[in-house]
Amino acid sequence: MPELPEVETVRRGLAPFMEKARIDRVTLNRPDLRFPFPEGFAEALQGRRIDALGRRAKYLLIHVEGGSTVIAHLGMSGSFRIEAEASETPGEFHHPRSKDATHDHVVFDLTGEAGPVRIIYNDPRRFGFMHLWSDHLLDDYPAFQGLGPEPTGNLLSADYLASRFKTRKQPLKGALLDQKIIAGLGNIYVCEAMHRAGLSPETPVGALVDAAGRPKAGLIRLSDDIRAVIAEAIEAGGSSLRDHIQTDGSLGYFQHRFRVYDREGQSCPTPGCAGTVGRIVQAGRSTFFCSQCQT
DNA sequence: ACATAGACCTGTTGGC
DNA sequence: TGCCAACAGGTCTATG
């Protein structure tokens, strides 16, 4: 499911309710998601305050008083929703767009400045997970080892990409999905960025770098387009396909701005291009692109 | 080192 | 309408 913009949208939605709130109770409705919950997970959190919410790549970080952090990944289908206590019936929690509770796996009961609030993690496919990790050892968390730069900051540049690409022949699509090269991109935004930059997903990445190791024009465009598409998607509240809804139940709307993703057979939106969006499979995953203007 | 295929799990969609 | 295959926003592992 969620790529960086969706996780960032979730973080921003949860922060006003979770930051500075006290965790009264954590309820696990099953012993595991993709992985078992850590031993003593609920007990370690109950009674503590939440300091802040953060994010690294597609991981949501819940920094808890006392120096520990919940590392949560939403997998393909995970979502959080917020339910406020009904004023007329204390102890009951409601939300106008409540989902089927079948896949409500974790419930956080909190008390914040505005009163009690319930945060629910729902995940039909259970590819998500939650781990507990010491704050000061976060860089040692296995999935964070060797993680590439965030596409939201200045660390992602054409020069950086050239340095990573120059010796490789891997198709561009696969390289951009590699979290060790860039953190947080997934299938949607990789397809969208390659289309914006006019680059074929099958290009061997080394071909985007000149003999002196400098990025060619296409790679410079790509670096800019990755940053732009991610920034625009965050601003739009992410993309809502099947599972991603914002924590208040509303939908992100970046899916309306897709140029190629999930648009097989439609005409290419590039001005002056007469091509049609096609679909190929690379490493088992769909790539949407226009073979006319992506070369 | 690198590339692909398979595994994990449930739900939805589209073709017949 | 029903059935079934294909596919879905992600990673991790095994296998060439």
Side-chain angles (χ1 to χ4, degrees):
Chain A
M1 152 210 184
E3 306 180 32
L4 187 159
E6 290 73 40
V7 179
E8 178 61 19
T9 299
V10 167
R11 189 194 70 76
R12 292 180 184 187
L14 292 174
F17 296 90
M18 294 186 78
E19 289 183 342
K20 311 308 172 202
R22 187 186 65 237
I23 302 170
D24 298 319
R25 183 176 169 80
V26 176
T27 308
L28 304 179
N29 292 329
R30 52 176 300 128
D32 58 4
L33 294 170
R34 179 175 176 186
F35 306 119
F37 287 102
E39 195 83 12
F41 180 75
E43 295 72 19
L45 298 174
Q46 284 163 178
R48 295 180 187 265
R49 277 179 132 49
I50 295 168
D51 289 328
L53 297 195
R55 180 191 58 72
R56 178 77 172 100
K58 303 172 191 174
Y59 297 80
L60 179 71
L61 305 177
I62 305 171
H63 300 284
V64 175
E65 173 187 54
S68 54
T69 292
V70 176
I71 301 173
H73 196 292
L74 307 184
M76 291 280 264
S77 60
S79 64
F80 283 92
R81 69 177 193 272
I82 299 163
E83 297 189 349
E85 187 178 44
S87 54
E88 67 280 10
T89 50
E92 286 185 33
F93 292 79
H94 298 292
H95 193 282
R97 292 185 57 155
S98 251
K99 296 173 77 162
D100 181 354
T102 305
H103 300 293
D104 287 351
H105 304 310
V106 187
V107 178
F108 298 90
D109 279 306
L110 312 177
T111 299
E113 284 183 4
V117 66
R118 179 168 281 178
I119 309 288
I120 298 154
Y121 179 70
N122 180 287
D123 188 355
R125 294 178 74 180
R126 303 201 304 275
F127 287 172
F129 53 86
M130 293 186 194
H131 281 148
L132 201 54
W133 212 259
S134 280
D135 233 0
H136 68 286
L137 295 175
L138 267 188
D139 288 343
D140 296 336
Y141 182 68
F144 294 169
Q145 300 272 328
L147 206 51
E150 298 277 327
T152 49
N154 293 328
L155 291 177
L156 173 62
S157 68
D159 285 343
Y160 164 77
L161 289 176
S163 74
R164 299 297 303 266
F165 285 179
K166 62 183 175 190
T167 62
R168 302 193 197 205
K169 297 185 282 219
Q170 189 181 16
L172 179 60
K173 170 72 183 306
L176 295 180
L177 282 176
D178 183 347
Q179 303 295 295
K180 289 179 164 32
I181 295 179
I182 303 173
L185 300 187
N187 212 26
I188 292 176
Y189 300 108
V190 165
C191 289
E192 292 296 309
M194 291 187 299
H195 180 264
R196 287 182 181 214
L199 295 175
S200 166
E202 295 176 297
T203 303
V205 293
L208 301 172
V209 182
D210 71 17
R214 307 290 301 170
K216 293 183 182 174
L219 188 52
I220 293 171
R221 281 200 309 276
L222 179 66
S223 176
D224 290 341
D225 287 332
I226 289 168
R227 293 165 57 137
V229 75
I230 292 297
E232 289 172 33
I234 291 172
E235 192 177 3
S239 301
S240 302
L241 299 188
R242 298 155 192 82
D243 301 300
H244 171 70
I245 55 173
Q246 298 191 36
T247 50
D248 63 358
S250 66
L251 300 175
Y253 54 88
F254 193 77
Q255 66 278 10
H256 302 303
R257 313 232 304 255
F258 289 169
R259 298 183 191 179
V260 288
Y261 184 82
D262 206 19
R263 294 176 63 87
E264 184 181 12
Q266 300 186 43
S267 57
C268 175
T270 299
C273 180
T276 301
V277 177
R279 184 179 80 92
I280 58 174
V281 175
Q282 295 177 286
R285 309 194 66 195
S286 290
T287 300
F288 298 91
F289 78 114
C290 171
S291 59
Q292 290 289 304
C293 66
Q294 291 180 249
T295 57

